[in-house]
Amino acid sequence: SYVLTQPPSVSVAPGQTARITCGGNNIGSKSVHWYQQKPGQAPVLVVYDDSDRPSGIPERFSGSNSGNTATLTISRVEAGDEADYYCQVWDSSSDQWVFGGGTKLTVL
Amino acid sequence: QVQLVQSGAEVKKPGASVKVSCKASGYTFTGYYMHWVRQAPGQGLEWMGWINPNSGGTNYAQKFQGRVTMTRDTSISTAYMELSRLRSDDTAVYYCARVGVFGLVVVVAATYGLDVWGQGTTVTVSS
């Protein structure tokens, strides 16, 4: 089965840029989606199809995907960005959707 | 507005079954795939499968094959997820979530992510 690997945690100071990676075999050939989840809340889609943003998501959230790594970039990080972030793809070979293990973003 | 409203919390004994409902409103229920995702306490998100609300066709995660059944009632715009032979490690919050594009083509849907989520249903399995 297809595996997505995320770092367990990322820390960043307010106003700086946070980068959260998602590794997978030839992930660059897949569409990657990113979700933000705050404690006690349902996940929220923040980036889909590698780099598109749903309406209402700030431009500070952006994504890229190439080779074996996809990246969610959060610019000018705010305290309210502190949350868990999950990447997700569809593995066409098995017709299964897969989530990464999640990354806890801490704003120092 | 588009929303998904799930049924309330459940407490079940090991070996029992649970059926969670997800009522959709504000959009054409039969035009969007519906997925189910769960999250055990302190753990990450786990994909369980999807249902095509138009045809009733399903695709389940291999882990849940034989234990999960996803159905729908189009007359009331409601999707259901039933999990049988419950174990303690099935204790989790269960979410329904809609794919973010109208149209029931698997390859296209896979490029849009899950844009609307239910509030979650807590299922506790305990003897």
Side-chain angles (χ1 to χ4, degrees):
Chain A
S1 60
Y2 193 77
V3 176
L4 294 174
T5 301
Q6 298 183 236
S9 62
V10 168
S11 298
V12 64
Q16 300 303 304
T17 297
R19 293 179 179 84
I20 299 172
T21 59
C22 177
N25 184 37
N26 198 27
I27 195 174
S29 66
K30 303 180 185 302
S31 288
V32 180
H33 316 305
W34 291 92
Y35 302 87
Q36 175 194 69
Q37 186 182 34
K38 297 181 179 179
Q41 298 183 18
V44 172
L45 181 67
V46 292
V47 167
Y48 68 95
D49 197 17
D50 297 341
S51 59
D52 289 333
R53 278 185 314 277
S55 61
I57 300 301
E59 291 184 7
R60 300 185 299 105
F61 289 83
S62 62
S64 62
N65 185 18
S66 179
N68 292 318
T69 304
T71 303
L72 173 69
T73 301
I74 309 171
S75 304
R76 302 180 300 282
V77 167
E78 304 172 355
D81 297 331
E82 190 163 280
D84 293 326
Y85 291 84
Y86 296 90
C87 58
Q88 180 198 37
V89 301
W90 173 57
D91 178 31
S92 58
S93 63
S94 62
D95 195 12
Q96 305 273 284
W97 288 49
V98 181
F99 283 98
T103 298
K104 180 176 181 57
L105 175 67
T106 299
V107 181
L108 302 170
Chain B
Q1 74 282 20
V2 176
Q3 63 176 351
L4 301 173
V5 178
Q6 299 183 221
S7 49
E10 303 262 13
V11 179
K12 296 292 183 181
K13 293 191 181 302
S17 298
V18 68
K19 190 171 186 177
V20 179
S21 68
C22 170
K23 182 170 179 58
S25 61
Y27 73 96
T28 303
F29 175 70
T30 52
Y32 295 76
Y33 283 104
M34 187 74 78
H35 289 239
W36 291 87
V37 176
R38 78 176 187 179
Q39 185 171 38
Q43 302 302 308
L45 302 174
E46 182 174 31
W47 180 73
M48 298 183 70
W50 58 248
I51 183 167
N52 175 330
N54 186 51
S55 68
T58 55
N59 179 27
Y60 302 141
Q62 291 163 358
K63 174 178 179 176
F64 300 103
Q65 291 272 2
R67 278 210 307 144
V68 70
T69 304
M70 297 177 188
T71 57
R72 91 291 188 218
D73 184 339
T74 57
S75 68
I76 55 172
S77 299
T78 299
Y80 302 92
M81 186 285 300
E82 183 170 21
L83 190 62
S84 63
R85 303 192 300 278
L86 290 168
R87 307 184 293 254
S88 58
D89 61 359
D90 291 317
T91 294
V93 177
Y94 289 77
Y95 294 100
C96 59
R98 186 194 79 164
V99 168
V101 65
F102 179 85
L104 300 167
V105 177
V106 170
V107 174
V108 172
T111 65
Y112 280 84
L114 303 174
D115 72 333
V116 181
W117 292 65
Q119 83 276 19
T121 296
T122 299
V123 175
T124 303
V125 183
S126 174
S127 54

